[in-house]
Amino acid sequence: VRLTITDAVLDGERVGLRCVDGTIEAIGPEVAAQPGDETIDAGGALLSPPLVNGHTHAAMTLFRGSGGDLPLMPWLQERIWPVEAKLEADDVYWGTRLACAEMIRSGTTRFWDMYWQLEQTARAVADAGLRATIGEPLMDVNGDEAVMREAALASLDRLGAPGPRIGPALAPHAIYTVTENSLRWIAELAAERQVPVHIHLSETSQEVQDCVAAHGERPAAYLDRLGLLTERTLLAHGVWLDPAELDLIAERGTTVVTNPAANMKLAVGAVFPYPAAREAGVAVGLGTDGAGSNDSLDLLADLKLFALAQKHAAADPTAIAAEDAWAVATGARAPLLGAAAAPLRPGADADFLLLRGDDSNLAIGELASNLVYAAAGAVVDTTVVAGRVLMRGGELPELEEIVARARERARRLGL
Ligand SMILES: [Zn+2]
C-alpha cells in the first residue's frame, strides 16, 4: 500500500511525504507521488505527529453524561458498577468504536486502555485502524486471589500474540483493589511474559494515607518493593507523588500519565507535580481517563487543561512551556507509550496528522502555543495510521453508524 501526501507544510517548508507498507519512505521538498500511489493534496495543511492518549477506559463513552456530579463512590456504586455487570460484547465493541472515532477526529492515534472484555476492545481498535495497548482491570474480589490470577492469564490468552497495532498489558486496577500477594504475582507474570503493567496510582490523598497506614510506606515505594516499578510500568494519575517517590520512579524508568480533566472533575484536590517530575527526570505522558469521568476524549482540549493547571498550581506562568506540553501530549517524553522516537522521518511508522493551518485558531502566531492554548480537535483535517487514511477532510466515513449503534447500546443499558 503506497500513499503520497503533497503540498504539506512542515516547519514552514512545503514538503511531500511518501509511505510504503505502513512506513514513511521519504519526506522532503522534492518528494512526489509515483504511478499507482494513493495521493492526497494537502493544500498547505500542517504536517504533525499524532497524539498519544496514555490512559483510557474507551468503552465508557457509553456512560458519558451519567451521574457526572456525584461523588466518586456513589457514582461508582449507583451508576457504574450495576451497569457494568450487564455489559455484553457489543456494548464494549460499540462503546470503543465511538471512543476510537473521537480519537481519530481529534488527532489521537494510539492509546492505553483498561476495560472489561478486552477482546472486544481489540476488535474495535482493529476495525477503527488505531493502535492500542490493552489490559483488563484486575481486582481481588472477596479476597479470592485465585479468581484474579485466572482472569489475568485468560485475558492475555484472549488477546493473543501482540500485533503491529495492538498489544497486551496487565492492568491491576489499583493498590486498594488488588492484594499485596496478587500485585507481587502480577509483577512476576509481567516480567516473565515481558508485557507492560498499567495501574492507577496515587489518585487521591486517601489512597496515600491508607497505603502508609497499611504498609508503612507511600504508594511508589510499595510498588517498588513488590517488583512493579519498572520501565514497563505505566502509573495513571500520580497526583500525590512526593519528591522521593518521583526520584524513585525516575530511577526505575517508570512512566507517569497525568489526567488533568478527570482529576479536576473528580475534584482530587491537587495537581500532578509536573515541574518536579520533569526535574527528577520522570517519563511523563498525558491521558483523558474514561469518558465516565472526563467526559471528552479530545486530548488537544485536555492539553490546554494540563498546561493551565500546571501554571496555576505553581503560581508561575513559566512552569511549563508550550513546546514542553506538546511533547508530553505526543508521547515524546515517555518511550513506553510507543510513539515513534523520531516521527515524520524515513523509517518511522506512517502515523501523522494534517492540521488546518488556515483555521482561525492556528492561522496567526506560534504553532506550539496555538496547539496548546487555542486549538481543539476540530483543527484536525486528516488522520493517518500505518499509511492508512482513517479520516480525510474532517470526514469519518462510518461516524453516523457508530454514533447510532453506540446510542442503541447505551439505551439498552438504561443509560
Ligand atoms: Zn482510569
Side-chain angles (χ1 to χ4, degrees):
V1 184
R2 293 171 304 174
L3 168 71
T4 296
I5 311 290
T6 59
D7 200 25
V9 172
L10 181 65
D11 300 329
E13 187 184 34
R14 296 270 164 165
V15 298
L17 180 154
R18 188 161 187 265
C19 318
V20 177
D21 296 333
T23 302
I24 296 175
E25 186 216 50
I27 179 167
E30 73 293 344
V31 173
Q34 294 182 23
D37 287 5
E38 180 187 353
T39 59
I40 287 181
D41 179 355
L46 308 174
L47 194 54
S48 169
L51 305 174
V52 179
N53 192 336
H55 181 61
T56 60
H57 310 276
M60 291 192 82
T61 50
L62 297 181
F63 294 86
R64 170 175 290 143
S66 179
D69 293 328
L70 291 171
L72 178 61
M73 288 322 285
W75 175 70
L76 283 172
Q77 287 164 347
E78 292 163 25
R79 299 297 176 93
I80 304 298
W81 290 341
V83 179
E84 284 189 335
K86 298 186 288 187
L87 283 179
E88 292 178 356
D90 276 350
D91 298 326
V92 176
Y93 176 80
W94 287 107
T96 307
R97 284 300 303 268
L98 183 60
C100 290
E102 291 183 53
M103 288 193 263
I104 292 167
R105 295 178 80 201
S106 51
T108 293
T109 58
R110 178 188 286 275
F111 63 103
W112 281 64
D113 201 63
M114 182 195 292
Y115 207 62
W116 311 106
Q117 305 193 32
L118 83 175
E119 69 278 17
Q120 299 305 326
T121 305
R123 183 163 71 94
V125 171
D127 290 351
L130 289 176
R131 301 183 191 267
T133 304
I134 302 171
E136 212 162 75
L138 304 173
M139 298 187 209
D140 285 310
V141 184
N142 306 325
D144 189 345
E145 292 167 349
V147 173
M148 189 283 292
R149 292 179 187 197
E150 238 167 76
L153 291 168
S155 75
L156 293 181
D157 287 347
R158 273 152 49 222
L159 196 57
R165 287 195 290 110
I166 298 172
L170 286 165
H173 171 261
I175 57 173
Y176 53 89
T177 44
V178 185
T179 65
E180 183 169 342
N181 262 338
S182 291
L183 286 171
R184 195 179 280 113
W185 180 84
I186 289 167
E188 283 164 14
L189 180 63
E192 182 192 311
R193 304 279 183 101
Q194 289 291 299
V195 293
V197 173
H198 183 179
I199 184 169
H200 295 107
L201 195 83
S202 207
E203 180 174 6
T204 64
S205 68
Q206 189 66 48
E207 175 190 339
V208 177
Q209 288 167 34
D210 291 350
C211 182
V212 171
H215 309 291
E217 55 199 343
R218 292 178 66 91
Y222 174 59
L223 282 191
D224 190 45
R225 182 165 57 78
L226 303 180
L228 267 176
L229 217 55
T230 77
E231 55 198 18
R232 290 187 324 277
T233 301
L234 185 163
L235 310 173
H237 299 305
V239 173
W240 298 89
L241 295 170
D242 75 5
E245 289 182 289
L246 291 171
D247 283 341
L248 180 61
I249 287 167
E251 201 174 303
R252 297 289 184 260
T254 302
T255 294
V256 180
V257 169
T258 177
N259 304 273
N263 293 157
M264 288 186 205
K265 190 164 187 227
L266 290 170
V268 299
V271 168
F272 167 65
Y274 176 71
R278 182 184 53 205
E279 193 67 28
V282 174
V284 177
L286 182 66
T288 57
D289 212 339
S293 65
N294 181 330
D295 306 37
S296 156
L297 295 166
D298 182 346
L299 201 65
L300 269 173
D302 287 16
L303 172 56
K304 177 174 182 171
L305 282 183
F306 168 53
L308 292 183
Q310 291 302 329
K311 288 170 182 250
H312 188 64
D316 177 4
T318 70
I320 183 166
E323 291 79 6
D324 193 10
W326 174 251
V328 169
T330 57
R333 293 288 164 75
L336 175 68
L337 294 181
L344 305 180
R345 298 277 188 287
D349 286 338
D351 296 2
F352 56 86
L353 311 174
L354 292 173
L355 308 177
R356 304 177 205 276
D358 54 0
D359 183 278
S360 59
N361 287 319
L362 291 186
I364 297 167
E366 286 171 19
L367 181 61
S369 178
N370 289 342
L371 286 170
V372 176
Y373 296 112
V379 302
V380 179
D381 177 87
T382 298
T383 302
V384 176
V385 176
R388 193 177 142 209
V389 181
L390 303 185
M391 181 176 79
R392 170 85 186 110
E395 297 287 332
L396 191 65
E398 296 170 278
L399 183 62
E400 220 172 292
E401 192 205 348
I402 291 167
V403 172
R405 298 295 295 271
R407 181 186 269 160
E408 228 172 77
R409 302 310 299 187
R411 284 202 182 126
R412 190 194 75 80
L413 291 164
L415 290 162

